[in-house]
């Protein structure tokens, strides 16, 4: 019985062995590169190991230089995945150039002419499929276009038009230099996103090569910040329509302003450009009126009053460097002091005639012996800023409040002259002219006022209307009305003419006119009186050519004084119509 069972088992095994198909012949391991096959048109079938896909350099895309690493090129082409596999490699003649791209986690490089080429059979398989039916991470074509090269340096020196497709991930990598015209080594697809030719999901683009430019201007668009760059050998631009929702490069017929003006350093050029609204909210600013060339262009424009928060066109004049830049707070933007810098810019059309308003303090002038003339308004004199010292004041003391303490202006304001001083060992505080200063120890810089005492209050000093509106966003209009009346006195015309001129110079300017009174008469009288006075100013401006739609009027009565109501000088400061810029 045992012999019979053993015979049956042997018979069954031999039958199974005879039914098994013969094993396929093993493929040779792929060579490290295909240089040995140069000059031939052979087709080489071989197998890539997993570790071979991770080593060596690759030049080209789809067509590779013969000295490229065979299996790493296969992974780049999508012919295998990281675990390797069989490939069919076809040799061909050399090409005049090889274009680098990033695919499947592999970055290939550009290369010029090379003697021999290889490509993989089957890399034209259905999208998403590698040779042998393997799914790939990135197919080499999209919408019928080849994947865009990482940059366009391989096309430098030509005027070719390159049509290609940007994968989504390629829009998020690489550096970009320039705006609209980009250096040839800029990341192609990230530049396309910057230019608004594709969205973050990528898409097809058309890029035109051209010769190099003497400089490339950096801007921020569509969430991408490009950089300035000097002369470069070759350039590309995109052709076609921008995608819906992308940030356009122009406004009011002007190119978008560069992020800063450093690319223009050393020139005296005048640049006309447009500030988008979002650009007014980014970047740092150094200086006032004259700004360091690396200041945020559009944020400086908002600080200077050349635009409002919604942006707009500006004209920028380049200047030589200055020994110092004075920081101030204007229009909600705080600029910073800075020492000497190589180049500056300012905005055309903002020059103010007459004396300039005094800075809040003199810290920016520390270390100098400069003499400055400026105007203290009554509001600045009465502002509750701190003062340290007597006769000589610390440089960070409130300028106009110190002027009142020193007795060189009355509470209604006036013109002052001051000189900067070296620091002193101590600054004793005193009470003078209704202002109490504080003691302070050693401080690195100080200032003092020149000129005679002037404590006799006259009419409130009127700030320059256009400059105050640009710099501060509001201005107190000290105009006279008949007593207990909203009828304008003839002496109001010069101040109101300044308002009209400012509005005519800036067609986008809109104002809210707010009337204020002193405390004589009580709220029941003063609120409607302040409203009527504001409407009288509105009516004068409309009669003199300002569209009514750009003006509104209101009144606060005695509720918002800027000075005490116990003296005629204080009451005269409180009787005003505020012109407030509407942003």
């Amino acid at each position: 019985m045992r012999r019979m069972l053993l015979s049956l088992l042997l018979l069954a095994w031999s039958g199974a062995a005879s039914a098994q198909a013969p094993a396929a012949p093993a493929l040779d391991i792929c060579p490290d590169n295909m240089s040995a096959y140069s000059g031939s048109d052979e087709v080489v079938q071989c197998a890539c190991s997993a570790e071979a896909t991770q080593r060596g350099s690759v030049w080209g895309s789809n067509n590779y230089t013969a000295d490229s690493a065979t299996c790493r090129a296969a992974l780049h082409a999508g012919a295998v995945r990281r675990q390797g596999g069989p490939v069919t490699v076809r040799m061909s003649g050399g090409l005049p150039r090889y274009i680098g791209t990033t695919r499947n986690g592999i970055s290939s490089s550009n290369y010029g002419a090379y003697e021999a080429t290889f490509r993989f059979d089957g890399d034209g398989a259905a999208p998403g499929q590698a040779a042998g039916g393997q799914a790939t991470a990135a197919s080499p074509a999209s919408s019928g276009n080849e994947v865009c090269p990482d940059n366009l340096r391989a096309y430098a020196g030509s005027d070719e038009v390159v049509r290609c497709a940007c994968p989504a991930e390629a829009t998020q990598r690489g550096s970009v230099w320039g705006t609209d015209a980009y250096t040839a080594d800029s990341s192609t697809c990230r530049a396309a996103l910057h230019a608004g030719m594709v969205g973050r999901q990528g898409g097809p683009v058309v890029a035109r090569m051209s010769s190099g430019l003497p400089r490339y201007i950096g801007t921020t668009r569509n969430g991408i910040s490009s950089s300035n760059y000097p002369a470069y050998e070759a350039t590309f631009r995109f052709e076609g329509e921008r995608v819906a929702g992308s940030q356009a490069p122009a406004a009011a017929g002007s190119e978008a302003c560069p992020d800063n003006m450093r690319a223009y350093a050393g020139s005296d050029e005048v640049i006309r450009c447009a500030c988008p609204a979002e650009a007014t909210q980014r970047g740092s600013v150094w200086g006032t009126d004259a700004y360091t060339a690396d200041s945020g262009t559009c944020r400086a424009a908002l600080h200077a009053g050349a635009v409002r928060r919604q942006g707009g066109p500006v004209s920028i004049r380049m200047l030589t460097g200055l020994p110092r830049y004075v920081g101030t707070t204007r229009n909600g933007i705080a600029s910073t002091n800075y020492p000497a810098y190589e180049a500056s810019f300012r905005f055309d059309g903002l020059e103010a005639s007459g004396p300039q308003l005094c800075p809040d303090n003199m810290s920016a002038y520390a270390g100098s012996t400069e003499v400055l003339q400026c105007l203290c308004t009554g509001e600045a004199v009465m502002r509750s800023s701190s003062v340290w010292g007597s006769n000589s004041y610390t440089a960070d003391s409130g300028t106009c409040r110190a002027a009142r303490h020193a007795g060189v202006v009355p509470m209604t304001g006036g013109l002052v002259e001051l000189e900067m001083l070296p620091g002193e060992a101590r600054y004793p505080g005193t009470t003078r002219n209704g202002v109490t200063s504080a003691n302070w120890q050693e401080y690195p810089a100080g200032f003092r006022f020149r000129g005679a005492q002037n404590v006799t209050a006259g009419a409130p000093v009127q700030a320059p209307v256009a400059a105050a509106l640009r710099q501060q966003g509001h201005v107190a209009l000290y105009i006279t009305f008949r007593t207990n009346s909203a009828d304008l006195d003839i002496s109001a015309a010069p101040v109101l003419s300044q308002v009209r001129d400012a509005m005519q110079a800036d067609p986008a300017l809109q104002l809210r006119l707010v009337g204020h009174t002193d405390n004589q008469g009580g709220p029941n009288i003063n609120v409607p009186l302040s409203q009527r006075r504001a409407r009288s100013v509105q009516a004068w401006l409309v009669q003199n050519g300002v569209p009514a739609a750009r003006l509104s009027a209101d009144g606060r009565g005695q509720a918002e004084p800027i000075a005490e109501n116990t003296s005629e000088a204080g009451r005269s400061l409180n009787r005003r119509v505020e012109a407030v810029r509407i942003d």
Side-chain angles (χ1 to χ4, degrees), residues 384-413:
S384 65
S385 50
S386 299
V387 179
W388 293 274
S390 300
N391 300 327
S392 293
Y393 301 92
T394 61
D396 61 341
S397 293
T399 309
C400 292
R401 194 80 175 145
R404 174 64 177 154
H405 180 272
V408 295
V409 292
M411 72 164 60
T412 49

PDB file of all heavy atoms in Angstrom, residues 384-413:
ATOM      1  N   SER A 384      -0.877 116.618  24.105  1.00  0.00           N
ATOM      2  CA  SER A 384      -0.270 116.190  25.371  1.00  0.00           C
ATOM      3  C   SER A 384       0.918 115.268  25.115  1.00  0.00           C
ATOM      4  O   SER A 384       0.843 114.059  25.289  1.00  0.00           O
ATOM      5  CB  SER A 384      -1.302 115.491  26.273  1.00  0.00           C
ATOM      6  OG  SER A 384      -1.738 114.302  25.711  1.00  0.00           O
ATOM      7  N   SER A 385       2.003 115.846  24.623  1.00  0.00           N
ATOM      8  CA  SER A 385       3.251 115.100  24.447  1.00  0.00           C
ATOM      9  C   SER A 385       4.184 115.436  25.608  1.00  0.00           C
ATOM     10  O   SER A 385       4.001 116.430  26.308  1.00  0.00           O
ATOM     11  CB  SER A 385       3.905 115.453  23.108  1.00  0.00           C
ATOM     12  OG  SER A 385       3.989 116.844  22.942  1.00  0.00           O
ATOM     13  N   SER A 386       5.184 114.610  25.814  1.00  0.00           N
ATOM     14  CA  SER A 386       6.088 114.761  26.958  1.00  0.00           C
ATOM     15  C   SER A 386       7.257 115.670  26.615  1.00  0.00           C
ATOM     16  O   SER A 386       7.720 115.718  25.476  1.00  0.00           O
ATOM     17  CB  SER A 386       6.609 113.392  27.398  1.00  0.00           C
ATOM     18  OG  SER A 386       5.536 112.565  27.804  1.00  0.00           O
ATOM     19  N   VAL A 387       7.733 116.373  27.643  1.00  0.00           N
ATOM     20  CA  VAL A 387       8.873 117.288  27.500  1.00  0.00           C
ATOM     21  C   VAL A 387       9.826 117.036  28.658  1.00  0.00           C
ATOM     22  O   VAL A 387       9.405 116.953  29.821  1.00  0.00           O
ATOM     23  CB  VAL A 387       8.412 118.762  27.505  1.00  0.00           C
ATOM     24  CG1 VAL A 387       9.608 119.698  27.373  1.00  0.00           C
ATOM     25  CG2 VAL A 387       7.403 119.018  26.389  1.00  0.00           C
ATOM     26  N   TRP A 388      11.126 116.925  28.336  1.00  0.00           N
ATOM     27  CA  TRP A 388      12.152 116.753  29.363  1.00  0.00           C
ATOM     28  C   TRP A 388      13.178 117.868  29.211  1.00  0.00           C
ATOM     29  O   TRP A 388      13.746 118.056  28.120  1.00  0.00           O
ATOM     30  CB  TRP A 388      12.847 115.403  29.214  1.00  0.00           C
ATOM     31  CG  TRP A 388      11.943 114.236  29.502  1.00  0.00           C
ATOM     32  CD1 TRP A 388      11.670 113.677  30.707  1.00  0.00           C
ATOM     33  CD2 TRP A 388      11.201 113.484  28.533  1.00  0.00           C
ATOM     34  NE1 TRP A 388      10.793 112.632  30.563  1.00  0.00           N
ATOM     35  CE2 TRP A 388      10.487 112.495  29.235  1.00  0.00           C
ATOM     36  CE3 TRP A 388      11.043 113.572  27.143  1.00  0.00           C
ATOM     37  CZ2 TRP A 388       9.651 111.577  28.610  1.00  0.00           C
ATOM     38  CZ3 TRP A 388      10.211 112.665  26.499  1.00  0.00           C
ATOM     39  CH2 TRP A 388       9.525 111.685  27.225  1.00  0.00           C
ATOM     40  N   GLY A 389      13.401 118.606  30.298  1.00  0.00           N
ATOM     41  CA  GLY A 389      14.406 119.655  30.283  1.00  0.00           C
ATOM     42  C   GLY A 389      13.800 121.044  30.321  1.00  0.00           C
ATOM     43  O   GLY A 389      12.571 121.226  30.331  1.00  0.00           O
ATOM     44  N   SER A 390      14.668 122.046  30.345  1.00  0.00           N
ATOM     45  CA  SER A 390      14.291 123.463  30.325  1.00  0.00           C
ATOM     46  C   SER A 390      15.386 124.203  29.568  1.00  0.00           C
ATOM     47  O   SER A 390      16.567 124.021  29.861  1.00  0.00           O
ATOM     48  CB  SER A 390      14.192 124.018  31.752  1.00  0.00           C
ATOM     49  OG  SER A 390      13.215 123.326  32.503  1.00  0.00           O
ATOM     50  N   ASN A 391      15.007 125.048  28.639  1.00  0.00           N
ATOM     51  CA  ASN A 391      15.949 125.745  27.751  1.00  0.00           C
ATOM     52  C   ASN A 391      16.584 124.771  26.763  1.00  0.00           C
ATOM     53  O   ASN A 391      16.497 124.952  25.552  1.00  0.00           O
ATOM     54  CB  ASN A 391      17.016 126.511  28.531  1.00  0.00           C
ATOM     55  CG  ASN A 391      16.400 127.563  29.439  1.00  0.00           C
ATOM     56  OD1 ASN A 391      15.365 128.149  29.104  1.00  0.00           O
ATOM     57  ND2 ASN A 391      17.005 127.783  30.598  1.00  0.00           N
ATOM     58  N   SER A 392      17.275 123.745  27.308  1.00  0.00           N
ATOM     59  CA  SER A 392      17.734 122.645  26.461  1.00  0.00           C
ATOM     60  C   SER A 392      16.835 121.447  26.738  1.00  0.00           C
ATOM     61  O   SER A 392      16.599 121.097  27.904  1.00  0.00           O
ATOM     62  CB  SER A 392      19.182 122.278  26.770  1.00  0.00           C
ATOM     63  OG  SER A 392      20.048 123.329  26.410  1.00  0.00           O
ATOM     64  N   TYR A 393      16.359 120.805  25.664  1.00  0.00           N
ATOM     65  CA  TYR A 393      15.400 119.709  25.799  1.00  0.00           C
ATOM     66  C   TYR A 393      15.978 118.448  25.175  1.00  0.00           C
ATOM     67  O   TYR A 393      16.751 118.505  24.202  1.00  0.00           O
ATOM     68  CB  TYR A 393      14.084 120.072  25.098  1.00  0.00           C
ATOM     69  CG  TYR A 393      13.457 121.327  25.645  1.00  0.00           C
ATOM     70  CD1 TYR A 393      13.729 122.571  25.080  1.00  0.00           C
ATOM     71  CD2 TYR A 393      12.617 121.287  26.756  1.00  0.00           C
ATOM     72  CE1 TYR A 393      13.177 123.740  25.586  1.00  0.00           C
ATOM     73  CE2 TYR A 393      12.061 122.455  27.276  1.00  0.00           C
ATOM     74  CZ  TYR A 393      12.346 123.674  26.689  1.00  0.00           C
ATOM     75  OH  TYR A 393      11.797 124.827  27.204  1.00  0.00           O
ATOM     76  N   THR A 394      15.608 117.296  25.726  1.00  0.00           N
ATOM     77  CA  THR A 394      16.036 116.037  25.105  1.00  0.00           C
ATOM     78  C   THR A 394      15.449 115.953  23.694  1.00  0.00           C
ATOM     79  O   THR A 394      14.346 116.443  23.429  1.00  0.00           O
ATOM     80  CB  THR A 394      15.546 114.823  25.915  1.00  0.00           C
ATOM     81  OG1 THR A 394      14.122 114.823  25.958  1.00  0.00           O
ATOM     82  CG2 THR A 394      16.104 114.844  27.332  1.00  0.00           C
ATOM     83  N   ALA A 395      16.184 115.312  22.803  1.00  0.00           N
ATOM     84  CA  ALA A 395      15.769 115.266  21.396  1.00  0.00           C
ATOM     85  C   ALA A 395      14.442 114.558  21.200  1.00  0.00           C
ATOM     86  O   ALA A 395      13.763 114.777  20.189  1.00  0.00           O
ATOM     87  CB  ALA A 395      16.852 114.595  20.556  1.00  0.00           C
ATOM     88  N   ASP A 396      14.021 113.716  22.152  1.00  0.00           N
ATOM     89  CA  ASP A 396      12.742 113.011  22.002  1.00  0.00           C
ATOM     90  C   ASP A 396      11.580 113.748  22.655  1.00  0.00           C
ATOM     91  O   ASP A 396      10.466 113.215  22.728  1.00  0.00           O
ATOM     92  CB  ASP A 396      12.847 111.584  22.543  1.00  0.00           C
ATOM     93  CG  ASP A 396      13.193 111.528  24.029  1.00  0.00           C
ATOM     94  OD1 ASP A 396      13.703 112.526  24.583  1.00  0.00           O
ATOM     95  OD2 ASP A 396      12.964 110.467  24.637  1.00  0.00           O
ATOM     96  N   SER A 397      11.816 114.987  23.123  1.00  0.00           N
ATOM     97  CA  SER A 397      10.716 115.784  23.665  1.00  0.00           C
ATOM     98  C   SER A 397       9.778 116.210  22.539  1.00  0.00           C
ATOM     99  O   SER A 397      10.198 116.379  21.381  1.00  0.00           O
ATOM    100  CB  SER A 397      11.266 117.044  24.352  1.00  0.00           C
ATOM    101  OG  SER A 397      12.014 116.707  25.508  1.00  0.00           O
ATOM    102  N   GLY A 398       8.502 116.390  22.863  1.00  0.00           N
ATOM    103  CA  GLY A 398       7.543 116.892  21.895  1.00  0.00           C
ATOM    104  C   GLY A 398       7.940 118.294  21.440  1.00  0.00           C
ATOM    105  O   GLY A 398       8.017 119.219  22.246  1.00  0.00           O
ATOM    106  N   THR A 399       8.199 118.480  20.145  1.00  0.00           N
ATOM    107  CA  THR A 399       8.789 119.726  19.642  1.00  0.00           C
ATOM    108  C   THR A 399       7.935 120.940  19.976  1.00  0.00           C
ATOM    109  O   THR A 399       8.416 121.928  20.551  1.00  0.00           O
ATOM    110  CB  THR A 399       8.992 119.630  18.115  1.00  0.00           C
ATOM    111  OG1 THR A 399       9.701 118.426  17.809  1.00  0.00           O
ATOM    112  CG2 THR A 399       9.763 120.827  17.598  1.00  0.00           C
ATOM    113  N   CYS A 400       6.676 120.915  19.586  1.00  0.00           N
ATOM    114  CA  CYS A 400       5.838 122.114  19.742  1.00  0.00           C
ATOM    115  C   CYS A 400       5.401 122.337  21.180  1.00  0.00           C
ATOM    116  O   CYS A 400       5.205 123.492  21.607  1.00  0.00           O
ATOM    117  CB  CYS A 400       4.637 122.029  18.809  1.00  0.00           C
ATOM    118  SG  CYS A 400       5.119 122.149  17.066  1.00  0.00           S
ATOM    119  N   ARG A 401       5.273 121.259  21.922  1.00  0.00           N
ATOM    120  CA  ARG A 401       4.963 121.427  23.360  1.00  0.00           C
ATOM    121  C   ARG A 401       6.156 122.045  24.069  1.00  0.00           C
ATOM    122  O   ARG A 401       5.999 122.906  24.946  1.00  0.00           O
ATOM    123  CB  ARG A 401       4.619 120.073  23.961  1.00  0.00           C
ATOM    124  CG  ARG A 401       3.974 120.121  25.329  1.00  0.00           C
ATOM    125  CD  ARG A 401       2.519 120.446  25.225  1.00  0.00           C
ATOM    126  NE  ARG A 401       1.861 120.376  26.529  1.00  0.00           N
ATOM    127  CZ  ARG A 401       0.882 121.167  26.908  1.00  0.00           C
ATOM    128  NH1 ARG A 401       0.421 122.111  26.096  1.00  0.00           N
ATOM    129  NH2 ARG A 401       0.316 121.028  28.089  1.00  0.00           N
ATOM    130  N   ALA A 402       7.376 121.639  23.677  1.00  0.00           N
ATOM    131  CA  ALA A 402       8.582 122.253  24.241  1.00  0.00           C
ATOM    132  C   ALA A 402       8.673 123.725  23.835  1.00  0.00           C
ATOM    133  O   ALA A 402       9.124 124.576  24.614  1.00  0.00           O
ATOM    134  CB  ALA A 402       9.828 121.497  23.772  1.00  0.00           C
ATOM    135  N   ALA A 403       8.242 124.045  22.597  1.00  0.00           N
ATOM    136  CA  ALA A 403       8.253 125.441  22.140  1.00  0.00           C
ATOM    137  C   ALA A 403       7.347 126.303  23.020  1.00  0.00           C
ATOM    138  O   ALA A 403       7.678 127.447  23.362  1.00  0.00           O
ATOM    139  CB  ALA A 403       7.819 125.518  20.683  1.00  0.00           C
ATOM    140  N   ARG A 404       6.196 125.755  23.389  1.00  0.00           N
ATOM    141  CA  ARG A 404       5.297 126.488  24.301  1.00  0.00           C
ATOM    142  C   ARG A 404       5.936 126.637  25.680  1.00  0.00           C
ATOM    143  O   ARG A 404       5.892 127.715  26.284  1.00  0.00           O
ATOM    144  CB  ARG A 404       3.961 125.731  24.393  1.00  0.00           C
ATOM    145  CG  ARG A 404       2.985 126.307  25.409  1.00  0.00           C
ATOM    146  CD  ARG A 404       2.547 127.693  25.030  1.00  0.00           C
ATOM    147  NE  ARG A 404       1.562 128.210  25.972  1.00  0.00           N
ATOM    148  CZ  ARG A 404       1.355 129.491  26.217  1.00  0.00           C
ATOM    149  NH1 ARG A 404       2.082 130.417  25.583  1.00  0.00           N
ATOM    150  NH2 ARG A 404       0.443 129.870  27.076  1.00  0.00           N
ATOM    151  N   HIS A 405       6.566 125.572  26.183  1.00  0.00           N
ATOM    152  CA  HIS A 405       7.254 125.620  27.476  1.00  0.00           C
ATOM    153  C   HIS A 405       8.344 126.685  27.458  1.00  0.00           C
ATOM    154  O   HIS A 405       8.520 127.446  28.421  1.00  0.00           O
ATOM    155  CB  HIS A 405       7.858 124.243  27.780  1.00  0.00           C
ATOM    156  CG  HIS A 405       8.586 124.161  29.088  1.00  0.00           C
ATOM    157  ND1 HIS A 405       9.929 124.473  29.219  1.00  0.00           N
ATOM    158  CD2 HIS A 405       8.157 123.805  30.333  1.00  0.00           C
ATOM    159  CE1 HIS A 405      10.307 124.303  30.478  1.00  0.00           C
ATOM    160  NE2 HIS A 405       9.242 123.890  31.182  1.00  0.00           N
ATOM    161  N   ALA A 406       9.092 126.763  26.325  1.00  0.00           N
ATOM    162  CA  ALA A 406      10.182 127.735  26.212  1.00  0.00           C
ATOM    163  C   ALA A 406       9.676 129.158  26.012  1.00  0.00           C
ATOM    164  O   ALA A 406      10.466 130.108  26.102  1.00  0.00           O
ATOM    165  CB  ALA A 406      11.094 127.341  25.057  1.00  0.00           C
ATOM    166  N   GLY A 407       8.395 129.310  25.699  1.00  0.00           N
ATOM    167  CA  GLY A 407       7.825 130.652  25.536  1.00  0.00           C
ATOM    168  C   GLY A 407       8.081 131.272  24.175  1.00  0.00           C
ATOM    169  O   GLY A 407       7.981 132.490  24.025  1.00  0.00           O
ATOM    170  N   VAL A 408       8.397 130.433  23.157  1.00  0.00           N
ATOM    171  CA  VAL A 408       8.657 131.010  21.839  1.00  0.00           C
ATOM    172  C   VAL A 408       7.424 130.998  20.935  1.00  0.00           C
ATOM    173  O   VAL A 408       7.448 131.557  19.838  1.00  0.00           O
ATOM    174  CB  VAL A 408       9.836 130.304  21.129  1.00  0.00           C
ATOM    175  CG1 VAL A 408      11.134 130.536  21.895  1.00  0.00           C
ATOM    176  CG2 VAL A 408       9.569 128.805  20.967  1.00  0.00           C
ATOM    177  N   VAL A 409       6.364 130.329  21.367  1.00  0.00           N
ATOM    178  CA  VAL A 409       5.080 130.407  20.658  1.00  0.00           C
ATOM    179  C   VAL A 409       3.968 130.510  21.697  1.00  0.00           C
ATOM    180  O   VAL A 409       4.070 129.962  22.797  1.00  0.00           O
ATOM    181  CB  VAL A 409       4.809 129.179  19.754  1.00  0.00           C
ATOM    182  CG1 VAL A 409       5.755 129.117  18.590  1.00  0.00           C
ATOM    183  CG2 VAL A 409       4.829 127.882  20.547  1.00  0.00           C
ATOM    184  N   PRO A 410       2.870 131.196  21.372  1.00  0.00           N
ATOM    185  CA  PRO A 410       1.684 131.167  22.231  1.00  0.00           C
ATOM    186  C   PRO A 410       0.915 129.878  21.992  1.00  0.00           C
ATOM    187  O   PRO A 410       1.271 129.079  21.114  1.00  0.00           O
ATOM    188  CB  PRO A 410       0.890 132.387  21.768  1.00  0.00           C
ATOM    189  CG  PRO A 410       1.268 132.546  20.340  1.00  0.00           C
ATOM    190  CD  PRO A 410       2.698 132.097  20.226  1.00  0.00           C
ATOM    191  N   MET A 411      -0.170 129.670  22.723  1.00  0.00           N
ATOM    192  CA  MET A 411      -0.928 128.438  22.566  1.00  0.00           C
ATOM    193  C   MET A 411      -1.575 128.334  21.186  1.00  0.00           C
ATOM    194  O   MET A 411      -1.912 127.235  20.737  1.00  0.00           O
ATOM    195  CB  MET A 411      -1.982 128.282  23.662  1.00  0.00           C
ATOM    196  CG  MET A 411      -3.166 129.225  23.545  1.00  0.00           C
ATOM    197  SD  MET A 411      -4.569 128.688  24.568  1.00  0.00           S
ATOM    198  CE  MET A 411      -3.859 128.718  26.199  1.00  0.00           C
ATOM    199  N   THR A 412      -1.723 129.425  20.489  1.00  0.00           N
ATOM    200  CA  THR A 412      -2.322 129.394  19.153  1.00  0.00           C
ATOM    201  C   THR A 412      -1.320 129.039  18.061  1.00  0.00           C
ATOM    202  O   THR A 412      -1.673 128.967  16.892  1.00  0.00           O
ATOM    203  CB  THR A 412      -2.978 130.740  18.841  1.00  0.00           C
ATOM    204  OG1 THR A 412      -2.051 131.799  19.137  1.00  0.00           O
ATOM    205  CG2 THR A 412      -4.246 130.928  19.657  1.00  0.00           C
ATOM    206  N   GLY A 413      -0.034 128.837  18.430  1.00  0.00           N
ATOM    207  CA  GLY A 413       0.961 128.364  17.490  1.00  0.00           C
ATOM    208  C   GLY A 413       1.762 129.475  16.845  1.00  0.00           C
ATOM    209  O   GLY A 413       1.536 130.664  17.092  1.00  0.00           O
TER     210      GLY A 413
END
